[in-house]
């Protein structure tokens, strides 16, 4: 990679994911050319705990690079070649609201889809766009912003619409890749996925090992693992003609998931409990290795996915990865500037979508509906216009009607007022 990668800035560096990312950089940083890692966060408490743990990981691993922690966003971005965005506006307290407020309206709660994803998008899009603007001015001229912040589809669309050098990243594809590799007992780098659709509304139309499709063999020999990974039965997967991402379950059987949430609670509460335990573990001055508990936090393989993208973007040879980028000419029945989650060749020129099977009519119907919803949501997040926000929420496939959307919107705005200044300007 030469000197392409020098400084990497992690925005939201107080995340409990950060030690795993740090460990990945320690093990691969020299090969990647990373000489400086900066962790930025608005919380001094989290930055102290996570940052100190990250420094111990660097020391124990013998990394020769420089690690710094700061609350200063501009200082973090200055001269950075990569900006990794992994923040959560409002923290997990906001996620808990996202996943519980919809219940009062008979709708499942989830942080990236449905009303919960809408609420998160309103809070997140303006913040990430501001970071991107600053990075464009302060970072290196050929720098890249890699977004892991949900909802990735909407955030990456907003970034690409405004011409930022950005790609969106999700751990679902690498998770499936690792599951396939484990099922066949092979090196994950031999496994390649063919993906179509949008982030959290995508389908894997083919799974390859050494360039040869093993999709039928996978379903024949490991249907139970595929079902567990996706939440779909083997019969439903075969009817769909593709392996759906896990999040497709929210559109496929929402009533079942809603009932399960009412009975068992939402994921946010579990994550809050896990986070609390992790931060307590991270505070141990003797701890230098990632605790097993982190695997229960979710986001498995995020750090590996992030470093694969960093490596590919700094390589002239590059490699094929599933990322989120503008469609271009990859799928003729989708608009050119729609951000899709698809297999791309990623190298120093960026991410170039590769051709794949066209979307089926059923797949296209969901993508079209989500495209309209996402476009309106971005407009609402940036403008603070309540009428556009209402139209956007009513367009969400999981919201049954505009009659439900109006009181639901009021509840969302009221609960998130401190994080939505555009909607409350002048009040």
């Amino acid at each position: 990679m030469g000197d392409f990668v020098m400084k990497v800035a992690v925005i939201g560096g107080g995340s409990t994911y950060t030690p795993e990312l740090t460990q990945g950089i320690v093990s691969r940083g020299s090969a990647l050319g990373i000489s400086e890692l900066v962790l930025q966060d608005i919380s001094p408490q989290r930055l102290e705990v996570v940052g100190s743990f990250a420094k111990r990981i660097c020391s124990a691993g013998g990394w020769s690079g420089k690690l710094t922690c700061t609350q200063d966003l501009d200082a973090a971005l200055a001269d950075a070649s990569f900006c990794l965005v992994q923040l959560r506006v409002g923290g997990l307290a906001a996620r808990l609201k996202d996943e519980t407020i919809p219940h009062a309206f008979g709708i499942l709660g989830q942080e990236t889809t449905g009303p919960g994803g809408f609420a998160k998008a309103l809070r997140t899009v303006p913040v990430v766009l501001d970071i991107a603007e600053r990075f464009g001015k302060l970072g290196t001229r050929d720098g890249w912003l890699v977004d892991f912040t949900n909802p990735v589809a909407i955030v990456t669309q907003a970034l690409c619409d405004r011409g930022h050098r950005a790609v969106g990243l999700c751990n679902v594809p690498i998770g499936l890749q690792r599951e396939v590799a484990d099922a066949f007992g092979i090196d994950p780098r031999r496994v390649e996925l063919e993906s179509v659709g949008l982030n959290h509304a995508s389908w894997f139309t083919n799974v390859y090992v050494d360039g040869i499709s093993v999709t039928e063999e996978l379903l024949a020999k490991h249907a139970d693992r595929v079902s567990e990974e996706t939440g779909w039965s083997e019969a439903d997967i075969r009817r769909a003609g593709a392996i759906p991402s896990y999040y497709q379950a929210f559109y496929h059987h929402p009533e079942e998931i809603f009932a399960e949430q009412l009975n068992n609670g939402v994921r946010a509460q579990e994550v809050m409990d896990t986070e609390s335990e992790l931060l307590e573990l991270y505070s141990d001055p003797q701890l230098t290795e990632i605790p097993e508990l982190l695997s229960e936090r979710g986001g498995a393989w995020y750090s590996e996915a992030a470093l694969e993208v960093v490596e590919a973007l700094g390589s002239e040879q590059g490699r094929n990865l599933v990322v989120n980028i503008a469609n271009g000419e990859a799928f003729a029945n989708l608009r050119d500037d729609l951000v899709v989650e698809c297999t791309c060749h990623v190298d120093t020129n960026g991410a170039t979508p590769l051709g794949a099977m066209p979307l089926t009519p059923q797949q296209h119907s969901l993508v079209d509906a989500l495209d309209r919803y996402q476009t309106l949501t971005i407009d609402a997040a940036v403008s603070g216009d309540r009428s556009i926000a209402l139209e956007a929420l009513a367009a969400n496939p999981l919201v049954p009607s505009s009659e439900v959307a109006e009181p639901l919107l009021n509840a969302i705005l009221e609960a998130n007022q401190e994080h939505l200044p555009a909607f409350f300007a002048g009040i």
Side-chain angles (χ1 to χ4, degrees), residues 4-11 73-85 127-147 159 163-167 310 313:
F4 181 78
V5 179
M6 294 296 293
K7 174 180 176 181
V8 173
V10 181
I11 311 306
L73 177 60
D74 288 350
L77 296 175
D79 300 318
S81 296
F82 282 94
C83 171
L84 307 185
V85 184
V127 174
V128 177
L129 287 179
D130 177 62
I131 292 168
E133 287 290 338
R134 297 191 192 194
F135 180 54
K137 296 175 182 177
L138 299 170
T140 59
R141 187 178 64 177
D142 53 1
W144 281 95
L145 186 150
V146 181
D147 179 70
L159 289 165
H164 295 294
R165 286 168 58 89
V167 295
V310 169
L313 285 170

Side-chain angles (χ1 to χ4, degrees), residues 30 39 70 73 93 107 123 149-150 177-179 196 199 219 233 235 240 293 296 308 337 361 404 411 415:
S30 297
L39 308 181
T70 182
L73 177 60
I107 304 171
R123 296 191 305 268
T149 293
N150 278 317
Q177 180 204 40
R178 291 316 199 259
E179 282 289 328
V196 301
N199 176 248
L219 291 176
S233 68
L293 182 63
E296 298 179 19
E308 283 185 349
D337 53 354
V404 172

Side-chain angles (χ1 to χ4, degrees), residues 272-288:
M272 291 174 80
D273 294 341
T274 302
E275 284 257 305
S276 180
E277 292 182 57
L278 282 171
L279 291 172
E280 184 174 350
L281 290 172
Y282 291 178
S283 298
D284 180 356
Q286 303 304 313
L287 186 69
T288 59

Side-chain angles (χ1 to χ4, degrees), residues 181-204:
D182 185 63
F184 285 98
I186 59 176
D187 186 323
R189 291 180 72 95
R190 294 174 58 190
V191 180
E192 189 172 306
L193 306 176
E194 183 179 83
S195 175
V196 301
L198 309 180
N199 176 248
H200 289 187
S202 63
W203 296 263
F204 300 101

